[in-house]
Amino acid sequence: MKALITSIALTLSISALAQETSIDTSTWFDDPATLTQTDGASIYAGVCAGCHMPNGQGANGAGKYPALTNNSSLMATAYPISLVIHGHKAMPPLGGVLDDEQVASVVNFIRTNFGNNYADNQASAELVKSMR
């Protein structure tokens, strides 16, 4: 049931983002519980930007969505991997929606964008798998 709710929320977030940014999401899903994008930028745009905002600036409103811009918490590779897989507080667990490669890809994207320069110790599918 939790996976279904996460899937519905994800689909609604993506639909809202697509309307705002004119992104065609019609080919993104074979199964609404699985995201088919493989590159970090597309995964971020489709999943993360709805809360963390398109430029990673975060938001305050109905909830607090931390900024990813210049975020020193992203320095340790394992931290964002764990958050993406398992969630934390308002952050939903995405481990059931993203495979190991997708998690590694989006983590590497946020660690090397938005003013972050943590290109060392890249996330890998093997590391993600070991943290599930």
Side-chain angles (χ1 to χ4, degrees):
M1 183 65 166
K2 190 174 186 179
L4 177 61
I5 292 169
T6 300
S7 174
I8 291 168
L10 178 61
T11 302
L12 292 174
S13 294
I14 290 170
S15 296
L17 181 63
Q19 290 173 357
E20 252 180 55
T21 59
S22 301
I23 297 172
D24 178 15
T25 60
S26 63
T27 60
W28 283 20
F29 296 103
D30 291 325
D31 170 355
T34 307
L35 186 70
T36 58
Q37 270 35 42
T38 57
D39 67 286
S42 294
I43 295 168
Y44 183 85
V47 179
C48 312
C51 295
H52 294 284
M53 302 293 110
N55 294 320
Q57 71 267 29
N60 285 310
K64 179 169 173 51
Y65 306 99
L68 300 176
T69 55
N70 300 305
N71 190 326
S72 62
S73 294
L74 301 174
M75 188 181 307
T77 310
Y79 179 72
I81 291 173
S82 180
L83 287 179
V84 171
I85 295 170
H86 304 292
H88 181 70
K89 296 184 180 179
M91 169 84 179
L94 298 171
V97 180
L98 302 174
D99 66 26
D100 297 341
E101 288 286 342
Q102 290 169 312
V103 171
S105 184
V106 75
V107 166
N108 289 331
F109 176 77
I110 64 171
R111 292 183 73 238
T112 58
N113 286 277
F114 312 123
N116 300 310
N117 190 20
Y118 307 119
D120 61 326
N121 300 318
Q122 293 269 313
S124 66
E126 293 77 25
L127 178 58
V128 172
K129 183 177 182 176
S130 74
M131 292 181 64
R132 285 193 183 268

